[in-house]
Amino acid sequence: MKHRSFLIAALATTATVLAGCGSGDSDGGAAAATSGPQPLAVVATTPEVADFVRNIGGADVAVTQIIKPNVDPHDFEPTPADIQAISQAKVVVKNGVGLEEWLDRTIEASGFKGAVVDSSQGVALREGGHEHEGEEEHAEEEEHAEEDGHEHDPHIWHNPKNAKTMVTNIEKGLAAADPSRADAFAKNLTTYGAELDKLDAENEAAFAKLPAGDRKLVTNHDAFGYYVDRYKLEFVGSVIPSLDTSAELSAKQLSDLVAKIKATGTKAIFTESSLPPKSAEAIAQQAGVKVVGGEDALFGDSLGAPGTPEGTYLGAERHNTEVIVSALGG
């Protein structure tokens, strides 16, 4: 933690130097005077939150996304460019629930004086770990949650109903920062909210076709708790036994997971786009089940590449459902 704080302080100094090397008139001059109202400068932390801001803000916002696709947010370090972007923004939008443990120190280092929007406000949070686990396993997961800094599961966006709460918070934050565009933000919220409702209905319909006994999920790490709860799946376990990605399976946990996969008749292990698949492949080989990865890897902590269908929240979540239903129903 001290190392990360020192690093952020050093990066802040570098960012200040970089800012001093700029043109110095980016906010003024004749060009700015004739270009009309400027988009609201917004920094968004994660790919999911950035996509939400783009959908609610439309052309009225200029979004700087801090964490790029397929970067693990649990192990993220900000750059001088990130600190500079925050210093120049009017609004910072975060996922919340402890996912961005680096953000508060980075904001302080940047000198940012704008509004911080916590998109998780009002979301019913899950405890750190699956409530239907045994007491011993649940205690282990709580211990991991404390080590990771996650008292609650931060992967809230995997339930589209939570995503609706998140975009509502974002709309309120943008409207407060730029009241002149509030009507446009509200209209965009209505449109996008309908898309989230459609996604939720599609997911429900897809899982309704899958026998209850086949709805068993094993993933790289414990990122899909809200998804599991929403669509009534059974979470069998994860390769990394944690909400975070820094923990590792002990030999006993590994053998227990293999035994549990065999005992429950689980059909597959799903890898995630932002994590290496080797451990999942080794466990799958021992358990005698298939590994779902490569282009079919799930988007657990990230979205796909910009410009692809999976580069949006809606596209990534549709991909996840299609892959899971196809693999477990096959």
Side-chain angles (χ1 to χ4, degrees):
M1 192 66 73
K2 288 182 179 178
H3 169 73
R4 181 171 287 192
S5 298
F6 175 80
L7 178 62
I8 289 173
L11 290 174
T13 303
T14 306
T16 302
V17 173
L18 287 175
C21 295
S23 62
D25 64 349
S26 59
D27 294 327
T34 58
S35 62
Q38 296 297 303
L40 182 67
V42 181
V43 164
T45 54
T46 69
E48 297 83 9
V49 168
D51 187 55
F52 291 156
V53 175
R54 293 186 193 102
N55 277 281
I56 303 305
D60 292 316
V61 298
V63 183
T64 299
Q65 177 181 319
I66 297 293
I67 301 177
K68 301 302 185 280
N70 289 328
V71 172
D72 182 356
H74 301 282
D75 193 33
F76 178 77
E77 298 282 2
T79 67
D82 297 331
I83 297 174
Q84 187 177 355
I86 289 172
S87 73
Q88 296 172 352
K90 299 296 184 185
V91 180
V92 170
V93 182
K94 66 179 181 178
N95 179 85
V97 205
L99 186 65
E100 305 99 332
E101 63 175 29
W102 49 271
L103 184 59
D104 288 346
R105 294 187 299 279
T106 307
I107 286 175
E108 184 178 355
S110 73
F112 172 76
K113 302 299 182 185
V116 177
V117 176
D118 182 348
S119 66
S120 71
Q121 290 297 310
V123 172
L125 300 178
R126 297 178 66 257
E127 295 297 327
H130 280 79
E131 293 176 354
H132 57 268
E133 302 283 8
E135 290 184 10
E136 182 179 344
E137 293 178 25
H138 186 64
E140 285 182 7
E141 292 200 357
E142 283 185 339
E143 183 179 340
H144 284 304
E146 290 174 6
E147 291 172 357
D148 302 338
H150 297 314
E151 293 181 6
H152 294 97
D153 185 346
H155 306 89
I156 55 176
W157 62 90
H158 284 304
N159 180 342
K161 291 183 179 295
N162 292 346
K164 283 194 74 173
T165 299
M166 295 172 77
V167 295
T168 299
N169 290 329
I170 290 168
E171 185 267 338
K172 289 177 181 175
L174 297 182
D178 193 347
S180 68
R181 291 161 164 158
D183 288 347
F185 298 147
K187 182 179 179 181
N188 293 343
L189 176 63
T190 299
T191 301
Y192 191 66
E195 289 293 319
L196 294 175
D197 288 338
K198 181 181 177 185
L199 171 69
D200 189 41
E202 289 173 350
N203 287 349
E204 278 201 301
F207 282 111
K209 298 175 183 176
L210 191 64
D214 290 337
R215 300 176 196 171
K216 297 180 173 71
L217 201 63
V218 177
T219 56
N220 261 125
H221 81 301
D222 192 358
F224 289 90
Y226 294 95
Y227 186 93
V228 165
D229 291 349
R230 176 72 189 98
Y231 302 114
K232 299 178 175 61
L233 311 183
E234 179 185 345
F235 181 76
V236 175
S238 55
V239 175
I240 300 171
S242 173
L243 297 170
D244 202 336
T245 55
S246 58
E248 294 182 2
L249 276 177
S250 66
K252 181 180 184 302
Q253 287 172 316
L254 192 152
S255 60
D256 286 351
L257 178 57
V258 169
K260 196 171 182 181
I261 290 170
K262 290 179 177 179
T264 56
T266 301
K267 293 183 176 180
I269 296 179
F270 297 90
T271 64
E272 296 171 40
S273 64
S274 57
L275 294 171
K278 286 187 177 180
S279 296
E281 290 168 351
I283 291 172
Q285 186 173 6
Q286 290 188 43
V289 298
K290 62 186 173 184
V291 173
V292 179
E295 292 184 355
D296 288 335
L298 302 184
F299 295 100
D301 276 333
S302 190
L303 300 180
T308 66
E310 295 79 18
T312 68
Y313 169 79
L314 294 171
E317 292 294 313
R318 287 193 177 102
H319 164 91
N320 286 347
T321 298
E322 289 168 4
V323 167
I324 291 170
V325 171
S326 176
L328 298 184

